[in-house]
């Protein structure tokens, strides 16, 4: 009956777990048949007074909320890791060139952005619970700001950043930090994976 609940991709693992002669407590995690839930199966030996194993006891638990929390945490950590690398790479690229006041301002801005990203970790973890708090911004200015931040990285690879916004007077309602993170990810990937001179 238990096997009827198991996702096809996890079926062989669960069968092997149940068939194995386990003499100590062991556990296995698996997904439900349609992948909507996650379960934990704990198997422990039952012994008599002489210490002879007579049977196994199985504990079956729905751990869906725990697995969802784990996935959300892993996604947040991955996102933060990626977001923090982009401004740091821009700072390192800028430091390889002679510095004037403009470059110093750029490095300061990137460092401050890194600090904001680090401080926003808790906000990212709670993003699903937070209400949208957008403000009106001119889209072309937002894109131009992020593009400027990536010019040192692009120049290092002889890559040209071309901005083409059809609706230059387009105002959008957005959360500035969130949209900058999204655009920075796009620019970072574009610069990283474009061929030199592209």
């Amino acid at each position: 009956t238990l096997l009827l609940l198991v996702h096809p991709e996890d079926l062989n693992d669960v069968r092997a777990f149940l068939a194995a002669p386990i003499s100590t407590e062991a556990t296995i995690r698996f997904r439900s048949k349609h992948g909507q839930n996650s379960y934990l199966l704990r198997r422990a030996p039952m012994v008599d007074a002489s210490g002879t194993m007579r049977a196994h006891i199985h504990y079956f638990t729905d751990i869906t909320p725990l697995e969802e929390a784990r996935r959300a945490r892993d996604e947040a950590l991955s996102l933060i890791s990626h977001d923090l690398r982009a401004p740091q790479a821009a700072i390192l690229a800028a430091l390889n060139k002679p510095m004037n006041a403009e470059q110093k301002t750029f490095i300061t801005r990137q460092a401050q952005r890194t600090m904001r990203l680090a401080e926003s970790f808790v906000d990212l973890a709670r993003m699903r619970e937070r209400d949208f708090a957008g403000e009106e911004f001119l889209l072309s200015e937002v894109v131009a700001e992020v593009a400027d931040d990536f010019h040192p990285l692009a120049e290092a690879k002889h890559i040209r950043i071309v901005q083409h916004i059809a609706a230059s007077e387009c105002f959008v309602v957005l959360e500035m930090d969130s949209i900058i993170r999204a655009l920075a990810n796009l620019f970072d990937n574009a610069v990283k994976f474009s061929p030199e001179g592209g």
Side-chain angles (χ1 to χ4, degrees):
T1 304
L2 174 66
L3 294 178
L4 297 176
L5 297 173
V6 181
H7 192 280
E9 292 179 6
D10 298 333
L11 200 52
N12 287 339
D13 290 339
V14 174
R15 279 180 174 150
F17 176 83
L18 293 174
I22 299 173
S23 58
T24 58
E25 185 174 314
T27 60
I28 187 171
R29 295 168 185 252
F30 62 91
R31 292 163 294 164
S32 63
K33 187 172 184 177
H34 301 292
Q36 296 173 337
N37 294 78
S38 297
Y39 300 111
L40 177 72
L41 181 63
R42 179 180 286 111
R43 187 181 182 198
M46 186 172 66
V47 298
D48 60 19
S50 66
T52 304
M53 190 176 70
R54 296 297 184 183
H56 285 99
I57 299 175
H58 293 89
Y59 303 88
F60 181 65
T61 309
D62 187 340
I63 58 168
T64 303
L66 293 176
E67 284 295 293
E68 288 176 351
R70 182 189 61 79
R71 280 194 293 269
R73 182 203 63 204
D74 290 347
E75 288 172 7
L77 286 171
S78 175
L79 182 62
I80 281 290
S81 174
H82 185 279
D83 286 353
L84 288 176
R85 280 197 301 267
Q88 293 303 316
I91 289 171
L92 291 172
L95 289 173
N96 287 327
K97 302 191 308 185
M99 235 187 296
N100 56 31
E102 186 180 342
Q103 268 97 39
K104 287 181 181 178
T105 301
F106 166 80
I107 289 175
T108 300
R109 193 167 71 234
Q110 290 296 321
Q112 289 170 341
R113 180 165 294 166
T114 302
M115 291 298 295
R116 287 200 305 271
L117 286 168
E119 290 166 0
S120 70
F121 177 77
V122 174
D123 286 341
L124 284 171
R126 296 174 178 169
M127 194 172 283
R128 290 181 180 175
E129 301 172 7
R130 190 178 65 192
D131 292 333
F132 176 75
E135 298 178 61
E136 195 172 80
F137 292 94
L138 187 61
L139 182 59
S140 58
E141 290 183 357
V142 177
V143 174
E145 179 184 340
V146 180
D148 286 344
D149 291 343
F150 280 87
H151 272 298
L153 278 178
E155 287 177 1
K157 285 187 66 178
H158 308 291
I159 290 172
R160 194 163 54 101
I161 296 177
V162 180
Q163 298 174 58
H164 176 71
I165 301 176
S168 59
E169 299 302 316
C170 176
F171 283 88
V172 290
V173 177
L174 51 84
E175 288 181 338
M176 180 60 86
D177 284 345
S178 297
I179 200 69
I180 283 179
R181 277 199 296 269
L183 289 172
N185 283 338
L186 292 174
F187 274 99
D188 184 46
N189 287 332
V191 172
K192 188 183 298 178
F193 297 110
S194 291
E196 188 157 338

